[in-house]
Each structure stands twice: as C-alpha cells, then as structure tokens.
Amino acid sequence: MSQLSHFDESGASRMVDVGGKAETERVARASAVVRMNPATLALIRDRKLSKGDVLEVARLAGIMAAKKTAELIPLCHPLPLTSVKLDFSYDGDDALHVEATAKVFGRTGVEMEALTAVSVAALTVYDMCKAADRGMTIEAVRLEEKDGGRSGHFVRDQSGV
C-alpha cells in the first residue's frame, strides 16, 4: 500500500501531510461530455429551456462545487482557490463538452477541484434538461492536464485513450 499516499503503512486512511511542501502555483484542467438527443442540445444552444440558461447555471454550479471539494471528497485538503473557470462547447449535434480549469497557489494540486467542477456542471445540465431527455449520459470525466508541484506537468495523450 506504500504507493497509495492516502494510506499509512498499516493500511489506515490518512490525510497526506503537505506541511513540508513548498507553495507553488498549481493548475489543473478536466473535462466531461454530456451526450443527448440533438433536439435537447438545440434547446440548450438556443436558450429555449423554460428553466433558464442551462450553461450559465451549470457554470455557477461547477464553480461552487470546486469550492466545496474538500467537503465532498473525504481526504482532500481545503484549498484557497485563486481561479475556477468553466467553458462549454458543442461536439457535433448530440454532445456538450464541459471543461474546467482550477488554479491555486498552495502545497497540493487542484486536480480534484477541476474534476468536481466538471462533474457537477455536467450533472446540472442533466438536471435542467431531464424533462426533455432522460436518456442523456455523462461520459469521459477525466483529467486533461495538470501543472505544478513535485510531479510536474501532465498532459493527457489525445490519441483516443
């Protein structure tokens, strides 16, 4: 279990001690895809849903979620985020791409905050559109890139994996 930093030598859960780490700028970018009927995507794009502007509500939900990550994921450190940004784009006629970038100047990374932001933003899209399309799926929630800290820079291989 020594490879998993959230467990001690005996296998007990623990919050990693980051007190000795240097504070550096850390950035993480994550993404998700919400797949839906083309008619549902058109409703979002044209802002025709009666609940309001789906993307703006999802953007706010993602930002709020990133700020609450430590309350949701048991061993995450609470972080003083310096920035959380959510972007949306259309992928064909049946998919909405959600991307979040989180930043902090601290002792630990913001991967979980970016992943939480895209997850909750995608769930918010589902919630706002479920009356029109209960068959929507949330797919490919993943870390795209991270930078900062001891482990350095990571960029996902875009070759389809």
Side-chain angles (χ1 to χ4, degrees):
M1 288 209 196
S2 62
Q3 299 257 341
L4 301 174
S5 61
H6 286 92
F7 296 100
D8 67 15
E9 303 77 40
S10 67
S13 301
R14 68 176 178 152
M15 180 182 248
V16 175
D17 183 355
V18 297
K21 290 183 170 184
E23 287 191 339
T24 61
E25 182 175 47
R26 295 157 188 261
V27 179
R29 187 170 51 87
S31 68
V33 174
V34 184
R35 197 161 303 280
M36 63 194 75
N37 290 324
T40 307
L41 192 63
L43 289 171
I44 294 170
R45 186 183 299 122
D46 299 338
R47 295 184 171 108
K48 298 281 187 189
L49 279 151
S50 61
K51 288 187 177 183
D53 187 333
V54 173
L55 300 185
E56 287 311 309
V57 174
R59 185 184 322 276
L60 288 174
I63 292 167
M64 291 172 65
K67 294 180 349 180
K68 295 202 172 274
T69 300
E71 295 173 36
L72 300 168
I73 311 295
L75 300 176
C76 281
H77 293 83
L79 298 179
L81 297 171
T82 57
S83 175
V84 178
K85 179 181 170 191
L86 274 98
D87 292 306
F88 302 92
S89 59
Y90 303 103
D91 188 6
D93 67 349
D94 71 342
L96 177 69
H97 186 260
V98 183
E99 186 172 282
T101 303
K103 295 181 181 181
V104 69
F105 189 81
R107 293 185 164 115
T108 190
V110 288
E111 296 95 303
M112 295 309 299
E113 286 72 12
L115 287 161
T116 300
V118 296
S119 298
V120 171
L123 287 166
T124 301
V125 170
Y126 186 95
D127 179 55
M128 292 190 72
C129 299
K130 68 182 182 264
D133 184 358
R134 292 208 188 267
M136 291 177 285
T137 60
I138 298 170
E139 306 171 0
V141 175
R142 62 194 201 174
L143 180 67
E144 297 291 348
E145 183 175 12
K146 65 84 71 196
D147 196 20
R150 188 180 63 209
S151 63
H153 193 208
F154 163 83
V155 179
R156 176 170 296 285
D157 178 2
Q158 299 299 320
S159 65
V161 178

